[in-house]
Amino acid sequence: MKYFALFGNPVSHSISPRLHNSALQGLGLNGVYGRILLEQGSDIIAKFKKYNLSGANITVPFKESVLTLCDELDTVAADIGSINTLINQNGKIKGYNTDAPGFMMAIAEFGKINKALILGAGGTAKALAYILASNGVQVHILNRSNKKDQFINYQFYTHSNFTCENYDLVINTTSAGLSSDELPCDEMILKDIFC
């Protein structure tokens, strides 16, 4: 049997085990997918090996911190600076980013997108900014703290200096809503964005 898991904090809300276990069963594969609450990103590879995992997904807040712990990185993951998937390939742990191509597949039916606003500035935001810009979309980032140095190729705003424009797409990559009713940014800013 092969073992797979989701690493993150929080993870109790995630429906990934239900989705992946259904897929494993539907494909007739002998495997099981679970959740692992992780306190520190530095522990991820040790736990990956301890549980003898064949693969794992990574969610907030560890998509960036685990980057330097892999034996190898996929080119896209290295370019983005964020990973969401680990694979054990002949004893070596390889990091991938499937957020970027998966996101483009998910929005393919939306048609032409000229300008997008990403709420948040973590690993998922890096992946989506990268793939959107690669597809000709003008990307703006809005985050509560200043991480402009990590997004030098994009228009970056904090809550205090945000100027709303017309966006074809607004994407929440923050952890807001995962374990509470917290909003991704100030309610007045959200009203401005969606008016």
Side-chain angles (χ1 to χ4, degrees), residues 42-79:
S42 58
D43 295 340
I44 199 165
I45 300 301
K47 290 197 183 274
F48 186 95
K49 291 177 179 177
K50 175 184 175 184
Y51 294 115
N52 194 30
L53 299 176
S54 295
N57 296 117
I58 303 164
T59 190
V60 294
F62 304 114
K63 291 183 177 192
E64 296 166 287
S65 61
V66 73
L67 197 68
T68 59
L69 304 177
C70 297
D71 296 316
E72 295 179 32
L73 290 177
D74 172 67
T75 305
V76 173
D79 287 348

Side-chain angles (χ1 to χ4, degrees), residues 117 138-142 148 151-157 161 165 167:
L117 175 65
Q138 183 182 356
V139 176
H140 292 194
I141 310 286
L142 173 61
K148 187 173 186 170
F151 292 89
I152 58 173
N153 296 320
Y154 312 102
Q155 182 65 48
F156 190 95
Y157 298 101
N161 71 356
E165 297 184 25
Y167 299 103

